[in-house]
């Protein structure tokens, strides 16, 4: 079985992308990682993470824009998907978990 490597990105890597990584970690056929795109992110995105990923999942359109501005040369051949999930949730909040299941689940099938 080929592993799919999924990278989840949000702004500061505190709530949304860590929730997504925790939610999808350990699923068969998946490896996950997460980071933030803001300068003050708890875990800032680095180029090696992008090189590693098959699928890059961002929470908001502004994240996709920032990603392309800073790392366009590293995104060639990568699929970048925007989930349109605003920064309105706490870590592992049930509503966020449900939203991630609905929006990410189909991407992973």
């Amino acid at each position: 079985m080929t592993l799919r490597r999924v990278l989840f990105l949000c702004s500061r890597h505190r709530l949304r992308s860590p929730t997504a990584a925790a939610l999808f970690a350990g699923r068969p056929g998946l490896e996950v990682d997460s980071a933030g795109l803001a300068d003050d992110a708890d875990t800032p995105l680095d180029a090696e993470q992008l090189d590693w990923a098959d699928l890059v999942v961002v929470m908001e359109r502004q994240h996709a824009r920032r990603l392309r501005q800073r790392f366009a040369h590293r995104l060639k051949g990568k699929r970048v998907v925007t989930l349109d999930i605003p920064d309105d949730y706490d870590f592992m909040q049930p509503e966020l978990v449900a939203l991630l299941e609905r929006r990410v689940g189909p991407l992973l099938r």
Side-chain angles (χ1 to χ4, degrees), residues 33-44:
D33 198 3
S34 61
L37 288 160
D39 294 333
D40 65 343
D42 284 1
T43 303

Side-chain angles (χ1 to χ4, degrees), residues 17-34:
S17 61
T19 295
L23 182 62
F24 294 102
R27 297 213 179 169
L30 285 186
E31 284 184 23
V32 299
D33 198 3
S34 61

Side-chain angles (χ1 to χ4, degrees), residues 64-105:
R65 277 195 301 274
R66 177 176 273 172
L67 181 64
R68 285 188 179 92
Q69 286 168 351
R70 289 176 51 199
F71 294 100
H73 61 289
R74 296 223 182 242
L75 294 175
K76 288 185 181 19
K78 305 255 182 221
R79 183 172 178 207
V80 178
V81 176
T82 303
L83 298 179
D84 291 317
I85 297 178
D87 194 8
D88 295 338
Y89 303 94
D90 290 324
F91 179 71
M92 295 305 284
Q93 183 176 332
E95 293 84 355
L96 175 57
V97 168
L99 200 51
L100 287 165
E101 287 279 6
R102 271 199 316 275
R103 299 206 176 147
V104 177

Side-chain angles (χ1 to χ4, degrees), residues 55-72:
L55 173 64
V56 180
V57 179
V58 299
M59 299 297 155
E60 299 176 49
R61 287 188 174 99
Q62 68 170 340
H63 300 144
R65 277 195 301 274
R66 177 176 273 172
L67 181 64
R68 285 188 179 92
Q69 286 168 351
R70 289 176 51 199
F71 294 100

